[in-house]
Amino acid sequence: MPFKSTLAKSAGKLFGVFRERDLSLRGYNQQSREIILNITATGGTKNTSVGDGYIYHVFEQTAVGSPNSTTFQITAGNNTVEVLVIGGGAGAGSMNSGAPGANGGNPGGGGGGAAIGPVGTLGPGTYPLTVGAGGRARGATNPGPAPYRPNTYNTAGEDGGTSVFNGVIQATGGAGGLAAATAPLPGSRAPGGTGTGGVTNGTGGYGGYGVVPGSPGQGVGEDGQNGTNAAGGGAGGSDMQPAATGGDGTTSLLGPYGAGGGGGGARDEGGQPASGGAGGSGMFAGGRGGGVGADALDGSGPATSKGLGGQNANFPPGGSRSNNGGGGGAYGGGGGGLSDQSNNGDDSVSGSGGGGLVVVRYAV
């Protein structure tokens, strides 16, 4: 029997080598196996306090409407890595100012898609990723600097951006809400984004249709659709009828991280006091839509990732937030649609979408 020294045994354990009896090869045959070592990594915001046996790296958009192209870096170790990606929520559009946009309501923006799953056993290296931005809303302030007034009337909301990790797993953003609801309904719905490459691939909720402009043109904006393992869509704006609510996002997709709810739709009551629809629920809820005497609200969540309701930071220098759509919740919630610009002094803005998300986790 060959002599096996203590040093040889230790080396075998250290380098992941084991031996099997094989009489045809002088007694032993060496086979290798994969070495699993704890990962040391940098990138994003590192969360070690969840307490579920994992470390999370969280990546968000850098500012409202701004994507974030960056990297996740493993400096040591080799282990299975799981990823969640959520696309950006879309902004809602803006009807014509004045009579062509009277007695109507804009469709809401679609919610961001999502994908969840392992991306393999990763070792030291740099892995590129992009966090898709939430789409900007459309509208105008009055008074306001010229670039913000005429240039965004009759314009669809901005699409949400695509989030992707290492080219393997990705989620597209929602489609922007149209510049006006069109007959026959529901043809003016804005679809949600989709996920690919994951074990679970989710679809964002569509943005609810609005009210077709005209006289009398009264009607209820449609509720935003709930996301399917993804973010909720924004609600459509209403005219002289009850307000529509944002769709729900899936609360938890990977550990404590999930998708946002859509923003609520605005409500016009012929210039009389009114409140817009509630935002949808999710990891972070969408913001309430506005009405006269009840300002539109931003979506919930971190400042850089929540969707903006109505004017505020959407269109400087701010101003009234009546008849404006609610902002989408972080992460990926679609923005809510505005209502009836004519009765609001040509001073309405839809809600913007919540920013996307990339989360990377590995075992402690």
Side-chain angles (χ1 to χ4, degrees):
M1 177 179 293
F3 175 72
K4 292 193 291 185
S5 69
T6 301
L7 178 60
K9 293 179 188 175
S10 300
K13 293 180 180 178
L14 178 62
F15 295 107
V17 174
F18 64 91
R19 297 174 183 269
E20 291 180 347
R21 176 78 61 181
D22 187 339
L23 297 176
S24 66
L25 294 175
R26 292 167 30 179
Y28 291 97
N29 175 43
Q30 290 194 2
Q31 298 179 10
S32 64
R33 64 185 177 190
E34 193 172 48
I35 305 170
I36 300 299
L37 297 173
N38 287 343
I39 285 176
T40 301
T42 59
T45 300
K46 194 172 183 177
N47 184 353
T48 61
S49 62
V50 175
D52 60 358
Y54 292 96
I55 291 174
Y56 294 81
H57 291 251
V58 182
F59 301 84
E60 302 175 312
Q61 67 178 11
T62 55
V64 175
S66 300
N68 180 11
S69 295
T70 183
T71 61
F72 169 70
Q73 295 180 305
I74 298 177
T75 55
N78 186 60
N79 210 335
T80 300
V81 170
E82 296 174 285
V83 171
L84 162 66
V85 294
I86 301 174
S94 169
M95 298 177 290
N96 282 323
S97 172
N103 299 323
N106 271 92
I116 315 102
V119 292
T121 302
L122 303 184
T126 299
Y127 301 91
L129 64 93
T130 298
V131 181
R136 294 185 185 278
R138 309 301 185 188
T141 59
N142 183 18
Y148 296 100
R149 291 203 62 212
N151 291 355
T152 57
Y153 285 138
N154 199 28
T155 305
E158 187 177 28
D159 294 346
T162 296
S163 295
V164 58
F165 178 83
N166 200 35
V168 174
I169 183 170
Q170 73 171 26
T172 61
L178 302 185
T182 57
L185 299 170
S188 52
R189 287 172 176 160
T194 57
T196 56
V199 172
T200 299
N201 298 306
T203 302
Y206 57 68
Y209 56 71
V211 178
V212 178
S215 182
Q218 299 175 3
V220 179
E222 185 184 27
D223 293 341
Q225 186 188 35
N226 297 340
T228 303
N229 293 315
S238 296
D239 185 68
M240 303 293 289
Q241 296 291 333
T245 60
D248 296 339
T250 307
T251 301
S252 179
L253 292 168
L254 186 70
Y257 296 97
R267 177 186 177 188
D268 175 68
E269 284 291 332
Q272 299 302 308
S275 178
S281 65
M283 180 179 179
F284 293 106
R288 182 191 68 196
V292 173
D295 288 351
L297 301 180
D298 296 343
S300 301
T304 59
S305 290
K306 66 182 180 180
L308 301 176
Q311 293 167 13
N312 199 15
N314 270 338
F315 290 86
S320 168
R321 303 178 84 184
S322 299
N323 288 19
N324 298 332
Y331 300 95
L338 61 80
S339 63
D340 200 340
Q341 300 198 88
S342 180
N343 284 345
N344 198 38
D346 302 340
D347 191 22
S348 297
V349 180
S350 287
S352 63
L357 178 71
V358 174
V359 176
V360 182
R361 83 172 184 181
Y362 49 86
V364 176

Short mmCIF file of all heavy atoms in Angstrom, two decimals, residues 42-44 58-60 62 67-73 126-131 164-166 358:
data_model
loop_
_atom_site.label_atom_id
_atom_site.label_comp_id
_atom_site.label_asym_id
_atom_site.label_seq_id
_atom_site.Cartn_x
_atom_site.Cartn_y
_atom_site.Cartn_z
N THR A 42 -17.49 44.03 -3.91
CA THR A 42 -17.81 45.45 -3.77
C THR A 42 -18.78 45.85 -4.87
O THR A 42 -18.93 45.18 -5.88
CB THR A 42 -16.55 46.32 -3.87
OG1 THR A 42 -15.92 46.11 -5.14
CG2 THR A 42 -15.56 45.99 -2.76
N GLY A 43 -19.42 47.00 -4.67
CA GLY A 43 -20.33 47.54 -5.67
C GLY A 43 -21.69 47.83 -5.08
O GLY A 43 -22.22 47.06 -4.28
N GLY A 44 -22.27 48.96 -5.47
CA GLY A 44 -23.59 49.34 -4.97
C GLY A 44 -23.58 49.62 -3.48
O GLY A 44 -22.55 49.92 -2.87
N VAL A 58 -27.05 46.40 -3.59
CA VAL A 58 -28.22 47.07 -4.15
C VAL A 58 -27.76 48.22 -5.04
O VAL A 58 -27.02 49.11 -4.61
CB VAL A 58 -29.14 47.60 -3.03
CG1 VAL A 58 -30.38 48.25 -3.62
CG2 VAL A 58 -29.53 46.47 -2.07
N PHE A 59 -28.25 48.21 -6.29
CA PHE A 59 -27.89 49.23 -7.27
C PHE A 59 -29.16 49.94 -7.73
O PHE A 59 -30.13 49.30 -8.12
CB PHE A 59 -27.20 48.60 -8.48
CG PHE A 59 -25.94 47.85 -8.16
CD1 PHE A 59 -26.00 46.52 -7.74
CD2 PHE A 59 -24.69 48.44 -8.30
CE1 PHE A 59 -24.83 45.80 -7.46
CE2 PHE A 59 -23.52 47.74 -8.02
CZ PHE A 59 -23.59 46.42 -7.58
N GLU A 60 -29.15 51.30 -7.71
CA GLU A 60 -30.30 52.10 -8.10
C GLU A 60 -29.90 53.10 -9.18
O GLU A 60 -28.71 53.30 -9.44
CB GLU A 60 -30.85 52.86 -6.89
CG GLU A 60 -31.27 51.97 -5.73
CD GLU A 60 -31.69 52.76 -4.51
OE1 GLU A 60 -30.94 53.69 -4.13
OE2 GLU A 60 -32.75 52.46 -3.96
N THR A 62 -29.12 56.73 -10.67
CA THR A 62 -28.34 57.78 -10.00
C THR A 62 -29.16 59.03 -9.70
O THR A 62 -28.83 59.78 -8.79
CB THR A 62 -27.12 58.16 -10.85
OG1 THR A 62 -27.57 58.53 -12.16
CG2 THR A 62 -26.17 56.98 -10.97
N PRO A 67 -30.14 56.57 -15.96
CA PRO A 67 -29.70 55.20 -15.76
C PRO A 67 -28.37 55.14 -15.02
O PRO A 67 -27.67 56.15 -14.91
CB PRO A 67 -29.56 54.66 -17.19
CG PRO A 67 -29.28 55.87 -18.02
CD PRO A 67 -30.03 57.00 -17.37
N ASN A 68 -28.03 53.97 -14.54
CA ASN A 68 -26.79 53.78 -13.80
C ASN A 68 -26.05 52.59 -14.38
O ASN A 68 -26.44 51.44 -14.18
CB ASN A 68 -27.10 53.56 -12.31
CG ASN A 68 -25.85 53.36 -11.47
OD1 ASN A 68 -24.74 53.58 -11.93
ND2 ASN A 68 -26.03 52.93 -10.23
N SER A 69 -25.00 52.85 -15.14
CA SER A 69 -24.16 51.79 -15.69
C SER A 69 -22.92 51.67 -14.80
O SER A 69 -22.13 52.60 -14.69
CB SER A 69 -23.75 52.11 -17.13
OG SER A 69 -24.87 52.13 -17.97
N THR A 70 -22.76 50.52 -14.18
CA THR A 70 -21.69 50.35 -13.20
C THR A 70 -21.26 48.89 -13.17
O THR A 70 -21.52 48.15 -14.12
CB THR A 70 -22.17 50.84 -11.81
OG1 THR A 70 -21.11 50.74 -10.87
CG2 THR A 70 -23.37 50.07 -11.32
N THR A 71 -20.59 48.46 -12.11
CA THR A 71 -20.08 47.09 -12.04
C THR A 71 -20.25 46.50 -10.64
O THR A 71 -20.32 47.22 -9.65
CB THR A 71 -18.59 47.02 -12.42
OG1 THR A 71 -17.83 47.82 -11.49
CG2 THR A 71 -18.36 47.49 -13.84
N PHE A 72 -20.32 45.17 -10.61
CA PHE A 72 -20.24 44.38 -9.39
C PHE A 72 -18.91 43.65 -9.46
O PHE A 72 -18.61 42.98 -10.46
CB PHE A 72 -21.40 43.40 -9.32
CG PHE A 72 -21.29 42.36 -8.24
CD1 PHE A 72 -21.40 42.70 -6.90
CD2 PHE A 72 -21.07 41.02 -8.56
CE1 PHE A 72 -21.31 41.74 -5.90
CE2 PHE A 72 -20.98 40.05 -7.57
CZ PHE A 72 -21.10 40.41 -6.25
N GLN A 73 -18.07 43.79 -8.42
CA GLN A 73 -16.72 43.24 -8.45
C GLN A 73 -16.51 42.21 -7.35
O GLN A 73 -16.73 42.49 -6.17
CB GLN A 73 -15.68 44.36 -8.31
CG GLN A 73 -15.68 45.33 -9.48
CD GLN A 73 -14.64 46.42 -9.31
OE1 GLN A 73 -14.62 47.12 -8.30
NE2 GLN A 73 -13.76 46.56 -10.29
N THR A 126 -14.88 41.33 -12.73
CA THR A 126 -15.73 42.51 -12.80
C THR A 126 -16.92 42.21 -13.70
O THR A 126 -16.74 41.81 -14.85
CB THR A 126 -14.95 43.72 -13.34
OG1 THR A 126 -13.85 44.01 -12.45
CG2 THR A 126 -15.84 44.94 -13.43
N TYR A 127 -18.12 42.42 -13.17
CA TYR A 127 -19.34 42.05 -13.88
C TYR A 127 -20.16 43.31 -14.14
O TYR A 127 -20.62 43.98 -13.20
CB TYR A 127 -20.14 41.04 -13.05
CG TYR A 127 -19.33 39.79 -12.77
CD1 TYR A 127 -18.55 39.68 -11.62
CD2 TYR A 127 -19.32 38.73 -13.68
CE1 TYR A 127 -17.79 38.54 -11.37
CE2 TYR A 127 -18.57 37.58 -13.45
CZ TYR A 127 -17.80 37.51 -12.29
OH TYR A 127 -17.04 36.38 -12.06
N PRO A 128 -20.38 43.67 -15.41
CA PRO A 128 -21.09 44.91 -15.73
C PRO A 128 -22.60 44.78 -15.50
O PRO A 128 -23.18 43.69 -15.65
CB PRO A 128 -20.80 45.12 -17.22
CG PRO A 128 -20.58 43.72 -17.74
CD PRO A 128 -19.91 42.96 -16.62
N LEU A 129 -23.22 45.89 -15.17
CA LEU A 129 -24.66 45.93 -15.00
C LEU A 129 -25.16 47.34 -15.29
O LEU A 129 -24.41 48.31 -15.24
CB LEU A 129 -25.07 45.50 -13.59
CG LEU A 129 -24.60 46.37 -12.42
CD1 LEU A 129 -25.64 47.43 -12.04
CD2 LEU A 129 -24.28 45.52 -11.20
N THR A 130 -26.44 47.41 -15.61
CA THR A 130 -27.10 48.71 -15.83
C THR A 130 -28.43 48.71 -15.11
O THR A 130 -29.20 47.75 -15.22
CB THR A 130 -27.32 48.99 -17.32
OG1 THR A 130 -26.06 49.05 -17.98
CG2 THR A 130 -28.06 50.30 -17.52
N VAL A 131 -28.71 49.77 -14.39
CA VAL A 131 -30.01 49.98 -13.76
C VAL A 131 -30.82 50.90 -14.66
O VAL A 131 -30.42 52.04 -14.91
CB VAL A 131 -29.87 50.61 -12.36
CG1 VAL A 131 -31.24 50.78 -11.72
CG2 VAL A 131 -28.96 49.77 -11.48
N VAL A 164 -30.09 45.29 -16.59
CA VAL A 164 -29.44 44.05 -17.03
C VAL A 164 -28.22 43.77 -16.18
O VAL A 164 -27.50 44.69 -15.78
CB VAL A 164 -29.07 44.15 -18.53
CG1 VAL A 164 -28.14 45.32 -18.80
CG2 VAL A 164 -28.46 42.85 -19.03
N PHE A 165 -27.97 42.48 -15.91
CA PHE A 165 -26.78 42.08 -15.18
C PHE A 165 -25.94 41.16 -16.06
O PHE A 165 -26.38 40.09 -16.48
CB PHE A 165 -27.13 41.34 -13.89
CG PHE A 165 -25.93 40.85 -13.12
CD1 PHE A 165 -25.24 41.70 -12.27
CD2 PHE A 165 -25.46 39.55 -13.27
CE1 PHE A 165 -24.12 41.27 -11.58
CE2 PHE A 165 -24.35 39.10 -12.58
CZ PHE A 165 -23.67 39.96 -11.73
N ASN A 166 -24.71 41.60 -16.38
CA ASN A 166 -23.71 40.79 -17.06
C ASN A 166 -24.21 40.22 -18.38
O ASN A 166 -23.72 39.18 -18.85
CB ASN A 166 -23.23 39.66 -16.15
CG ASN A 166 -21.87 39.10 -16.58
OD1 ASN A 166 -21.02 39.83 -17.06
ND2 ASN A 166 -21.68 37.80 -16.41
N VAL A 358 -31.25 46.74 -9.54
CA VAL A 358 -30.49 45.50 -9.66
C VAL A 358 -30.02 45.12 -8.26
O VAL A 358 -29.43 45.95 -7.55
CB VAL A 358 -29.27 45.63 -10.60
CG1 VAL A 358 -28.43 44.36 -10.57
CG2 VAL A 358 -29.71 45.94 -12.03
#
